[in-house]
Amino acid sequence: MLLHVPNVLDPASLARCRAIVEAADWSDGGITAGTQSVQVKNNRQLPEGSEASLAARAIIVDALARSALFFSAALPKKTFPPLFNRYDGQANTFGNHIDNAVRTSLTNGDWVRTDLSVTLFLSEPHEYDGGDLVIEDTFGTQRVKLPAGDLVLYPSSSVHRVEPVTRGSRIASFFWIESMVRRDDQRRLLFDMDMAIMAMREGGTADPEHVVKLTGCYHNLMRMWAET
Ligand SMILES: O=C(O)CCC(=O)C(=O)O
Ligand SMILES: [Fe+2]
C-alpha cells in the first residue's frame, strides 16, 4: 500500500527543520548506498551523526509520534533514525533500485528490517523541477511529489527512483520502518478496518454494539499478527 500522509510537520516545525538542514554541510549520498544503488545514486546527504542531523531528526521523530494516520498505516515496531538528502538542479537523481532489506543505524547500532520506506518532503513542489519519486506499485507506476511537511509511505519491496532535478533543490528526510505487522496485505487490512471503524464512530449513526464488535475484531487480528 502506498499512502500519502499530509501535514506531518506543522509550519513551525517545518521552518525549524529547514533552517537546520539548509545551514548544514552536506556529503556525497554514496555513503549509505549499497553496491547496486551506489551506481545510480547522485545526490547529497547529511552525515548521519552530525549535529544538524540529530537536531532535525528530533523534530521529525517527535512529529511522527503525534501522527495517528502514520501510526495506523505503519504500525511501527522500529523506526530507522531519519536521514536527510538533497537533489540540486544539476540533474541530481537516484535511479531505479530496491532498498536493502536490513539496515543498521550508526546512531544506535540497531538493525531495522525495512518493511516500509518513507520520504518526508521538506521542499515545496514549486521550488524545484523534476525530482518526482516514481514507485512501481502492484497497481502500476505512481509519481509522487508532495507539499513540504507531507510524507509518503510505500512497501520497501518496490522498485523506485527519484527523477533528475533540473531546477532548484529538493530536500527531504527519508527513513525506513520495521512494522509490527510484517505482511503488507495484513497491514493494509488492519488500516482499512481502523479507518472504517473511526468513520463509523464519528458518523454517530452506527449501533454502538456493532462498533464494539468490529473494534474487537481489529484488536483480535492485531493480536494474531503483531510481533512486538
Ligand atoms: O529521496 C527520496 O525520495 C528517496 C530516496 C531513496 O530512495 C533512498 O535513499 O533509498
Ligand atoms: Fe530507496
Side-chain angles (χ1 to χ4, degrees):
M1 173 178 72
L2 185 148
L3 184 74
H4 169 191
V5 183
N7 304 317
V8 173
L9 289 180
D10 60 44
S13 310
L14 173 63
R16 275 194 294 136
C17 209
R18 274 191 68 143
I20 294 166
V21 300
E22 279 170 9
D25 290 326
W26 293 80
S27 308
D28 188 323
I31 45 179
T32 57
T35 39
Q36 184 271 325
S37 60
V38 76
Q39 298 169 37
V40 291
K41 186 171 183 183
N42 173 22
N43 66 357
R44 287 190 290 160
Q45 282 178 206
L46 284 190
E48 214 173 318
S50 68
E51 253 182 56
S53 264
L54 298 183
R57 182 179 296 146
I59 295 171
I60 290 178
V61 168
D62 185 55
L64 290 174
R66 282 183 277 112
S67 173
L69 188 58
F70 172 78
F71 185 86
S72 175
L75 298 172
K77 176 171 163 186
K78 294 183 190 174
T79 301
F80 191 94
L83 300 173
F84 297 87
N85 64 14
R86 71 181 293 157
Y87 303 74
D88 293 309
Q90 312 105 23
N92 272 179
T93 184
F94 194 167
N96 271 341
H97 66 280
I98 291 186
D99 295 337
N100 287 358
V102 281
R103 304 199 66 116
T104 179
S105 160
L106 289 180
T107 314
N108 55 16
D110 200 9
W111 289 91
V112 173
R113 186 187 63 230
T114 60
D115 296 324
L116 290 159
S117 300
V118 183
T119 295
L120 195 167
F121 290 76
L122 298 176
S123 301
E124 295 291 356
H126 66 78
E127 294 179 280
Y128 58 96
D129 290 334
D132 292 31
L133 174 60
V134 180
I135 303 163
E136 317 271 350
D137 190 34
T138 34
F139 297 111
T141 303
Q142 314 274 342
R143 307 184 75 84
V144 182
K145 188 169 184 172
L146 300 177
D150 291 13
L151 68 74
V152 62
L153 190 69
Y154 58 98
S156 301
S157 52
S158 329
V159 173
H160 58 282
R161 65 176 178 273
V162 176
E163 298 214 312
V165 170
T166 55
R167 176 193 62 88
S169 297
R170 174 199 192 270
I171 302 181
S173 174
F174 65 103
F175 51 95
W176 298 272
I177 306 289
E178 179 172 328
S179 179
M180 287 187 275
V181 177
R182 179 178 191 160
R183 279 179 49 169
D184 197 54
D185 54 350
Q186 293 174 336
R187 209 183 314 110
R188 159 110 226 188
L189 194 151
L190 288 167
F191 177 68
D192 287 347
M193 214 169 164
D194 194 19
M195 292 299 110
I197 291 167
M198 280 210 301
M200 284 169 86
R201 278 210 195 108
E202 279 160 20
T205 52
D207 180 336
E209 282 300 310
H210 295 160
V211 177
V212 168
K213 282 235 162 84
L214 270 180
T215 306
C217 289
Y218 173 87
H219 286 288
N220 288 333
L221 283 172
M222 265 294 259
R223 230 183 303 281
M224 201 180 290
W225 293 334
E227 301 151 26
T228 55

